[in-house]
Amino acid sequence: DSGVTQTPKHLITATGQRVTLRCSPRSGDLSVYWYQQSLDQGLQFLIQYYNGEERAKGNILERFSAQQFPDLHSELNLSSLELGDSALYFCASSRVGSDPYNEQFFGPGTRLTVL
Amino acid sequence: AQTVTQSQPEMSVQEAETVTLSCTYDTSESDYYLFWYKQPPSRQMILVIRQEAYKQQNATENRFSVNFQKAAKSFSLKISDSQLGDAAMYFCAHGGSQGNLIFGKGTKLSVKP
């Protein structure tokens, strides 16, 4: 158990819908990262928050957004869902924000299926 | 931009034998870390080993060790005395100044009894 929690574990929805994925980082970790793992794209970095502020952006679609709340939990919002958004979404947390020595602890992931 | 390449989509090893997984990377950064993550069928991402780019000594964690060739931008993972529980997807990753990880496509390792 990494100490990072993600809810829900599984999510099944229809095209065009909007969903919210939730992540609680390990106690004391200020940074949260979101990654998408799909069959065709592999593991891709989406976005990072550090202590409530956006720190870095990766291959995140405009239909996707995220935020980190004062209690440091984070939510990833996916809207106008398409079939290709079906993937495993990971949240990871780390103690600091911009440091190459950045051991990230991964949550169990949320499996999103868009029908 | 950083890139990570794993050229072996699948590998197989006999139990108790040794196997090496390959990884090459490209980066413009001078200070970075490299990681190997394991993803078993449970899908949990587990850190196996990490290497600091400025350290010449190769990292070792029990049966896992790396061969880090900085000039060649190569970072291979050696698993000794392979066990059935080592069967998983293995991902090589680059961690740079931004903090986020850039992953390779992964290598699926099978262990034969």
Side-chain angles (χ1 to χ4, degrees), chain A residues 16-61:
Chain A
Q17 294 298 305
R18 173 190 168 95
V19 297
T20 298
L21 313 184
R22 184 188 168 103
C23 168
S24 293
R26 290 188 323 154
S27 177
D29 284 0
L30 300 178
S31 223
V32 168
Y33 305 78
W34 286 98
Y35 294 89
Q36 178 195 58
Q37 185 177 27
S38 61
L39 280 175
D40 52 345
Q41 298 292 329
L43 259 166
Q44 288 198 103
F45 166 67
L46 295 178
I47 197 164
Q48 177 202 359
Y49 277 82
Y50 175 73
N51 205 19
E53 293 192 4
E54 183 183 302
R55 177 62 65 93
K57 255 185 176 178
N59 298 320
I60 188 166
L61 300 171

Side-chain angles (χ1 to χ4, degrees), chain B residues 30-70:
Chain B
S30 56
D31 188 15
Y32 56 92
Y33 279 70
L34 297 165
F35 304 85
W36 279 97
Y37 278 86
K38 170 184 178 181
Q39 188 179 41
S42 67
R43 297 294 192 179
Q44 180 70 47
M45 295 291 287
I46 302 164
L47 178 65
V48 174
I49 197 166
R50 62 174 162 258
Q51 174 76 42
E52 303 164 54
Y54 63 88
K55 281 192 176 178
Q56 291 188 342
Q57 186 174 5
N58 289 323
T60 299
E61 289 285 344
N62 301 313
R63 298 182 295 107
F64 298 87
S65 61
V66 299
N67 183 4
F68 175 48
Q69 303 289 328
K70 190 172 184 179

Side-chain angles (χ1 to χ4, degrees), chain A residues 90-110:
Chain A
F90 283 108
C91 166
S93 74
S94 69
R95 196 74 60 184
V96 295
S98 53
D99 186 340
Y101 174 55
N102 193 23
E103 180 164 359
Q104 297 184 21
F105 296 85
F106 281 76
T110 292

Side-chain angles (χ1 to χ4, degrees), chain B residues 68-89:
Chain B
F68 175 48
Q69 303 289 328
K70 190 172 184 179
K73 293 183 178 175
S74 169
F75 182 61
S76 60
L77 174 69
K78 185 171 85 171
I79 306 174
S80 305
D81 186 26
S82 296
Q83 301 175 359
L84 295 177
D86 295 334
M89 283 290 288

